Amino acid sequence: MTRAGVGIRTAQTRSERMTGQIHVYDGAGKGKSQAALGVVLRSIGLGIQNLSQTRVLLLRFLKGPGRTYDEDASIQALQRAFPHLIDQVRTGRGEFFGADEITKFDRQEAQRGWDVARGAIASGLYSVVVMDELNPVLDLGLLPVDEVVRTLKNKPDHMEVIVTGRAAPQPLIDIADLHSEMKPHYHVAKEEGIAGIEIYTGAGKGKSTSALGKALQAIGKGISQDKSHRVLIMQWLKGGTGYTEDAAINALRQSYPNLVDHQRSGRDAIVWRGQQQELDYVEAERGWEIARAAIASGLYKTIILDELNPTVDLELLPEEPIVQALLRKPRDTEIVITGRCKNPPAYFELATVHSEMVCHKHYAEKGIDLKRGVDF
């Protein structure tokens, strides 16, 4: 049977891999750290469902406590609720610096972070170790690349390692099982009032996880800074159950019921072009009605429209109502749209941020199964 179009993997019962992989997210586009946060959210959700399976270390280089990030409060909330599932370490100073501005403190902080990473990897305690912004640390020469590569090559078999940041060194890319480059695209938004539209697309991994990371950042902002910052996560083509992020999102909803809403639409099955069922159209429209009303209401400061792109690409929804809704969105509402598509819809031209996840390497291409708590 020939399958055409864009098929989205669902969380149906399937075989899954036990061996952890090494992920590298780099490039000049936005979404690298957000993708790592999305995996953190999924892993915590898996741990909530089954306490014995997962523990996450979120190690954030170049993001010292001297600066506040939107996601800080939501990570702290998850740490308070589930201290057995997540550890966080921040190192470095709180501002940007170049190669000609490196200080002794910068080298000490980089080494402190790497000492934590080495200990975590050697311990085997963690199922996921995130080293956010390690790539620029290596690019600045704050740590020896060969030592990092050697340590990662000898990680425990079960451990997933995620490395983010611009300018990943080639030796690290060489040992990676997955390498996604976030490539920026630039559009001129000609209409007023549409600042704040972000699009994540492409064949590489990191689109939905970037959106989940963005949601986590927005929830954190609502917890700590702007109490009116309400978030909607609307997901198409992902019906059914088994998505590990759901448990973590539900935990945040219970603690902060006025901050986050989450809706799914679609069948619990992959939809292929030419094989659409009537229910696919009904579910796509149902999801859009929720999204359209949310955009028009002004109630939400951040709206995630996950997998909207393939929904349009499969012709389950028309483009023009989406364009009009985005043109009329409230000025302070930020909208994040994700998903791959063969035919970019017209609303791409409205984006102020457009990152294409370019797939340079993916373990799935080698026939390696996806992993619950990481990939879905």
Side-chain angles (χ1 to χ4, degrees):
M1 179 184 297
T2 300
R3 288 170 167 171
V6 180
I8 302 303
R9 293 178 182 271
T10 67
Q12 296 178 91
T13 301
R14 64 169 78 127
S15 62
E16 59 178 284
R17 62 182 164 85
M18 301 303 295
T19 302
Q21 308 290 296
I22 298 173
H23 306 228
V24 173
Y25 296 100
D26 76 343
K30 187 174 180 180
K32 300 178 290 293
S33 294
Q34 289 174 196
L37 288 172
V39 174
V40 168
L41 194 67
R42 283 178 172 167
S43 298
I44 291 171
L46 179 65
I48 293 170
Q49 295 169 347
N50 187 334
L51 303 184
S52 65
Q53 286 192 5
T54 190
R55 187 179 180 96
V56 182
L57 171 64
L58 177 56
L59 177 54
R60 302 163 73 190
F61 290 89
L62 304 178
K63 292 183 176 179
R67 178 180 173 185
T68 299
Y69 294 85
D70 287 342
E71 66 268 18
D72 292 347
S74 53
I75 292 170
Q76 290 166 7
L78 289 167
Q79 281 185 295
R80 286 195 300 269
F82 308 103
H84 54 289
L85 295 181
I86 178 172
D87 294 317
Q88 178 189 203
V89 176
R90 296 174 62 179
T91 72
R93 47 172 152 153
E95 70 271 0
F96 174 81
F97 60 92
D100 57 345
E101 302 170 297
I102 294 172
T103 66
K104 181 179 178 181
F105 175 78
D106 298 323
R107 296 189 184 280
Q108 289 175 336
E109 282 293 277
Q111 188 62 50
R112 179 172 72 88
W114 178 239
D115 288 343
V116 171
R118 281 192 308 176
I121 292 169
S123 73
L125 174 65
Y126 297 93
S127 57
V128 178
V129 173
V130 174
M131 288 180 274
D132 186 32
E133 302 296 352
L134 177 62
N135 290 335
V137 168
L138 297 175
D139 186 56
L140 287 166
L142 298 177
L143 290 173
V145 175
D146 58 344
E147 180 184 338
V148 171
V149 169
R150 184 169 59 251
T151 301
L152 295 186
K153 285 175 68 176
N154 294 310
K155 72 172 183 64
D157 285 344
H158 73 279
M159 183 179 290
E160 210 85 18
V161 174
I162 298 171
V163 180
T164 77
R166 295 190 183 204
Q170 190 60 47
L172 179 59
I173 292 172
D174 289 342
I175 67 164
D177 302 292
L178 181 145
H179 176 207
S180 278
E181 175 196 357
M182 278 57 170
K183 179 181 177 181
H185 293 260
Y186 301 99
H187 306 283
V188 179
K190 299 180 179 65
E191 303 290 338
E192 294 185 0
I194 56 173
I197 298 175
E198 298 186 7
I199 292 177
Y200 298 96
T201 188
K205 182 173 171 59
K207 300 178 289 294
S208 290
T209 45
S210 289
L212 290 173
K214 183 76 174 183
L216 195 60
Q217 290 174 334
I219 293 166
K221 186 174 182 180
I223 293 172
S224 63
Q225 301 171 42
D226 178 2
K227 303 302 182 182
S228 68
H229 199 117
R230 187 162 185 157
V231 182
L232 170 66
I233 304 171
M234 182 67 231
Q235 297 182 289
W236 281 267
L237 301 174
K238 292 180 175 177
T241 59
Y243 294 89
T244 51
E245 64 263 25
D246 289 2
I249 294 170
N250 287 338
L252 288 167
R253 287 184 67 190
Q254 289 176 15
S255 298
Y256 307 99
N258 296 322
L259 284 182
V260 57
D261 292 317
H262 181 207
Q263 296 284 336
R264 292 188 178 277
S265 70
R267 293 184 290 127
D268 189 13
I270 298 177
V271 179
W272 299 100
R273 188 185 304 278
Q275 300 174 34
Q276 299 95 324
Q277 298 181 11
E278 182 179 356
L279 183 58
D280 298 324
Y281 292 93
V282 172
E283 281 290 280
E285 186 62 34
R286 180 178 69 84
W288 173 243
E289 283 303 309
I290 294 171
R292 183 192 59 75
I295 294 169
S297 73
L299 176 65
Y300 297 93
K301 294 292 184 67
T302 300
I303 298 176
I304 309 295
L305 305 179
D306 185 35
E307 305 296 0
L308 178 61
N309 294 335
T311 302
V312 172
D313 196 56
L314 287 164
E315 300 178 347
L316 299 176
L317 287 174
E319 292 182 28
E320 187 57 25
I322 298 171
V323 171
Q324 293 304 315
L326 294 178
L327 288 172
R328 292 181 172 87
K329 81 171 185 67
R331 190 178 294 269
D332 62 350
T333 296
E334 194 165 20
I335 297 178
V336 180
I337 303 172
T338 79
R340 67 171 72 188
C341 56
K342 291 186 176 182
N343 304 297
Y347 56 77
F348 272 39
E349 292 299 320
L350 305 180
T352 47
V353 171
H354 175 190
S355 277
E356 177 190 359
M357 280 54 176
V358 179
C359 181
H360 293 293
K361 193 187 297 187
H362 198 307
Y363 40 80
E365 294 175 343
K366 300 178 181 178
I368 297 174
D369 288 330
L370 303 186
K371 188 175 185 181
R372 194 171 296 276
V374 174
D375 298 298
F376 61 94

